[in-house]
Amino acid sequence: MTLLILSFIIAYFYAFNVGASGSAATMGIAYGAQVINKKWIALLLSGIGCLAGAFWGGEVVETIGKGLLSESSLTVEAAAIILFVSAITLFVTNLLGIPLSSSEVTVGAIVGVSISMQQLFVGKLFDIVLFWIFVPLTAFLLTFFFGLLKERVKPKKFMSKKLTAVLSVLLIITGFLEAIAAGMNNVASAIGPLVGADVLNKNTGLITGGLFMALGALLLGGRVLETNGKRISHLSLSDGVVISGTSGFLVIGASLLGIPIPMTQVTTSGIVGVGAVKDWQGIWKKKVIHQIAKVWVTSPLISLVFAYCLTEIFLMAKVSTVLIIASGIFATLVLTNFGRTSIIKKARHPLKEEF
């Protein structure tokens, strides 16, 4: 009973943090462009959109709860490990300033538990990974071709107060669409494992999970909104409409198919697509691009290893396996550090040539 209560606490804490970090950013473009001047209005719209989207997130909940691991294997203990790993990984990396995707973290944790129990549904995992590649790439291509079209049309010549007002309204609408998409896709990360373990009704989970995500966006999303708004405030209104609209529609489409999608990467890919039109070579040299690539790989791997180790210890009673993995990681870190130290020493004290 204690474990069950703890699982619920972790799940809703996780939902709250997902709302504060991911959902609040959906109105960032509108706020950064000063279409919405007051922060609380932007956060309120994010929260409402997130809560509304959660009602339609049932397909993704099915995937997270039952699509990767058999129902007989997804016990309360397994669900607790998945939620704990997902929540703690996201929380720690947020403190370190490393942006991770909640969808990728949760899927990675489920895969780690599944591998330990030898119950992984490989076909479904393959479909999810394909979407992780395909959807951000599609966002990039769509916004890139829009940028090319915009360069030819030169809309600045036709800008007027009326057109600016129309684009401003569209920017708010597409931002709200992104918030709905975030609710549809991300609520499953928090409540999916409990639904799969048959300790939480799906409809109840969607409502309560969406509510906690909305509260997270409203109460703790201010810093994310400020950061996101300042980072992308250089975008024009038309750029913002296309990026938000593209991201929102793609993530909603994936959600209807039951695929958990890293929404941050989709939106960022759209921003990169617009930027690539203006500076094709320079955009690929930016550190943020390299960071996104690392996030795509490390997000699921970190939670996978963590969840696998906990499952081996607490559910499978195989401590020796974890010790071998830990020893391998430690040895790799030591050798990597030794190699770096040797290179530094050689750089400082080059060897004399021997005859």
Side-chain angles (χ1 to χ4, degrees), residues 111-127:
V111 171
V113 172
S114 303
I115 292 174
S116 177
M117 293 182 169
Q118 299 181 359
Q119 293 288 332
L120 178 63
F121 296 159
V122 179
K124 192 63 176 181
L125 177 62
F126 183 73
D127 292 340

Side-chain angles (χ1 to χ4, degrees), residues 99-101 104 132-133 135-137 262 264-266 268-269 289-301:
L100 292 187
S101 162
E104 289 183 338
W132 283 357
I133 298 171
V135 175
L137 179 61
T264 302
Q265 279 87 331
V266 177
T268 306
S269 296
I289 305 301
H290 303 158
Q291 188 181 39
I292 291 169
K294 291 177 182 178
V295 166
W296 261 322
V297 177
T298 58
S299 292
L301 288 181

Side-chain angles (χ1 to χ4, degrees), residues 1 23 28 40 67 76 90 102 113 173 183 189 195 223 241 252 319:
M1 187 64 181
S23 302
W40 71 268
V76 175
L90 193 66
S102 60
V113 172
I173 293 173
S189 298
V195 173
R223 182 176 295 181
V241 169
I252 287 175
V319 181

Side-chain angles (χ1 to χ4, degrees), residues 327-343:
S327 300
I329 294 174
F330 179 75
T332 302
L333 292 173
V334 170
L335 290 173
T336 303
N337 186 60
F338 176 77
R340 289 177 180 175
T341 304
S342 299
I343 292 172

Side-chain angles (χ1 to χ4, degrees), residues 62-113:
E62 290 290 330
T63 300
I64 292 292
K66 303 175 183 179
L68 292 168
L69 181 63
S70 64
E71 293 183 53
S72 59
S73 299
L74 188 53
T75 60
V76 175
E77 292 80 7
I81 289 175
I82 292 168
L83 289 168
F84 174 76
V85 169
S86 302
I88 201 69
T89 302
L90 193 66
F91 180 70
V92 171
T93 51
N94 279 340
L95 290 179
L96 296 174
I98 304 172
L100 292 187
S101 162
S102 60
S103 298
E104 289 183 338
V105 166
T106 304
V107 170
I110 294 172
V111 171
V113 172

Side-chain angles (χ1 to χ4, degrees), residues 277-332:
V277 176
K278 302 172 184 177
D279 185 7
W280 175 263
Q281 293 183 341
I283 195 72
W284 303 111
K285 296 179 181 179
K286 290 189 175 182
K287 290 183 179 180
V288 66
I289 305 301
H290 303 158
Q291 188 181 39
I292 291 169
K294 291 177 182 178
V295 166
W296 261 322
V297 177
T298 58
S299 292
L301 288 181
I302 291 172
S303 58
L304 187 156
V305 174
F306 194 11
Y308 176 82
C309 291
L310 290 181
T311 306
E312 288 287 290
I313 293 172
F314 294 107
L315 300 186
M316 310 303 290
K318 296 180 180 178
V319 181
S320 57
T321 305
V322 177
L323 290 176
I324 293 172
I325 294 173
S327 300
I329 294 174
F330 179 75
T332 302

Side-chain angles (χ1 to χ4, degrees), residues 136-180:
L137 179 61
T138 302
F140 169 81
L141 292 174
L142 288 174
T143 54
F144 177 74
F145 285 118
F146 163 77
L148 291 177
L149 179 63
K150 179 183 172 183
E151 286 293 311
R152 291 193 175 188
V153 174
K154 298 294 182 183
K156 289 183 179 179
K157 295 180 180 180
F158 307 102
M159 287 297 285
S160 64
K161 289 184 178 180
K162 186 176 182 179
L163 181 57
T164 300
V166 171
L167 288 174
S168 297
V169 172
L170 285 176
L171 188 57
I172 295 173
I173 293 173
T174 52
F176 190 73
L177 183 71
E178 269 196 291
I180 292 175

